[in-house]
Amino acid sequence: MSKITLLDKEFSLFITADKIQAEVQAIADRINIDLKDEDVIFIGVLNGAFMFASDLLRKINFNVQVSFVKLASYLGTSNNGKVKRLIGINESLKDKTVVIIEDIIDTGNSLESIISQLKGFRPRQIFVAALLLKADVYTRDLKLNYVGFRIPPDFVVGYGLDYQGFGRNLRNIYTLSE
Ligand code: IMP
Ligand code: MG
C-alpha cells in the first residue's frame, strides 16, 4: 500500500514498518546501555506516542516504570505562545530519571512546555526520545537525547500520528502527497 487516503487527503508511503522497527530497536539498544543503572520512569505523551512507546518499551530490558501524560486545556500564555497543562502524572518523579517519549518534534513548543512542567516534580534528570524530528523547523536548544528519523517539514501520518484523528493505527509512516 504505497498510497492511502484519509478524509480529503492523499498520503504516500514514507517510512516502512520494517525501517521503523529497526530504528526503535536501535534507540532501545542505546537506552539499555545508557540508563541501565538509573531509576527510570518513561513518560509517553498521548495520543501520538502510544505506538512508539509500546514498541520501544517492550525492547527495554531492565526494570523501569511507565506512565503517560497528555497536554490538555490551555493554562495561559507565555512568551512562546499558549501553554497547555500537562495532565496524568500520578507517580512521584522526585530524583528519578525521566525519559519523555514523543512521536514527533516540530517546533519544539510542546516539548518545551512538557519539560518545564515536569521539572516542577523535581526529577534527577530528563531525557528525550523522539521518533521523528522536523530538523529544519526545530529551533529550540533543548537537548534531544534519542532521535529516530530527521525528516523534512512535511505533514506525516501513521504509527501514532494523525490527520484529524485518523491514521494513528497505520504501521507505516506516510507523507502528504503533492
Ligand atoms: P511542536 O510543538 O511544534 O513540536 O509539535 C509537536 C506536536 O504536533 C506533535 O506531538 C504532534 O502531535 C503534532 N505534529 C507535528 N507535526 C505533525 C505531523 O506532521 N503530523 C501529525 N502531527 C504532527
Ligand atoms: Mg505528540
Side-chain angles (χ1 to χ4, degrees), residues 90-110:
N90 304 312
E91 300 75 8
S92 168
L93 305 185
K94 186 139 180 14
D95 302 327
K96 289 185 182 157
T97 293
V98 168
V99 182
I100 299 169
I101 306 178
E102 261 286 26
D103 50 356
I104 187 165
I105 296 168
D106 189 341
T107 61
N109 290 343
S110 308

Side-chain angles (χ1 to χ4, degrees), residues 5-171:
T5 301
L6 299 172
L7 301 175
D8 58 331
K9 300 247 186 299
E10 190 185 69
F11 296 85
S12 317
L13 184 58
F14 180 45
I15 309 174
T16 63
D18 284 351
K19 277 199 174 156
I20 295 168
Q21 291 306 320
E23 192 55 43
V24 173
Q25 184 67 60
I27 293 172
D29 290 345
R30 291 174 56 202
I31 293 176
N32 283 330
I33 293 167
D34 294 351
L35 302 183
K36 64 177 188 312
D37 298 323
E38 301 291 329
D39 183 5
V40 176
I41 180 164
F42 284 90
I43 297 186
V45 182
L46 297 174
N47 293 327
F50 81 94
M51 212 177 267
F52 175 40
S54 167
D55 284 342
L56 179 69
L57 289 164
R58 67 187 103 181
K59 297 173 175 22
I60 296 299
N61 61 16
F62 59 103
N63 292 338
V64 299
Q65 290 178 295
V66 176
S67 189
F68 289 89
V69 295
K70 196 160 185 164
L71 281 171
S73 52
Y74 288 109
L75 254 186
T77 50
S78 74
N79 42 353
N80 301 313
K82 291 191 166 133
V83 177
K84 287 176 154 192
R85 193 165 59 96
L86 194 67
I87 58 168
I89 307 267
N90 304 312
E91 300 75 8
S92 168
L93 305 185
K94 186 139 180 14
D95 302 327
K96 289 185 182 157
T97 293
V98 168
V99 182
I100 299 169
I101 306 178
E102 261 286 26
D103 50 356
I104 187 165
I105 296 168
D106 189 341
T107 61
N109 290 343
S110 308
L111 182 67
E112 181 179 74
S113 175
I114 291 165
I115 289 176
S116 76
Q117 294 184 64
L118 286 177
K119 280 184 177 163
F121 294 89
R122 300 275 170 251
R124 180 167 119 72
Q125 54 188 345
I126 299 177
F127 282 67
V128 178
L131 184 68
L132 303 167
L133 172 65
K134 291 189 184 172
D136 297 342
V137 185
Y138 181 69
T139 54
R140 313 244 167 252
D141 54 7
L142 300 166
K143 183 158 193 254
L144 307 177
N145 308 84
Y146 307 101
V147 173
F149 301 94
R150 284 168 176 77
I151 64 169
D154 303 321
F155 191 77
V156 294
V157 295
Y159 200 69
L161 291 147
D162 74 303
Y163 169 56
Q164 295 190 17
F166 291 93
R168 294 194 195 278
N169 57 308
L170 299 166
R171 307 164 66 238

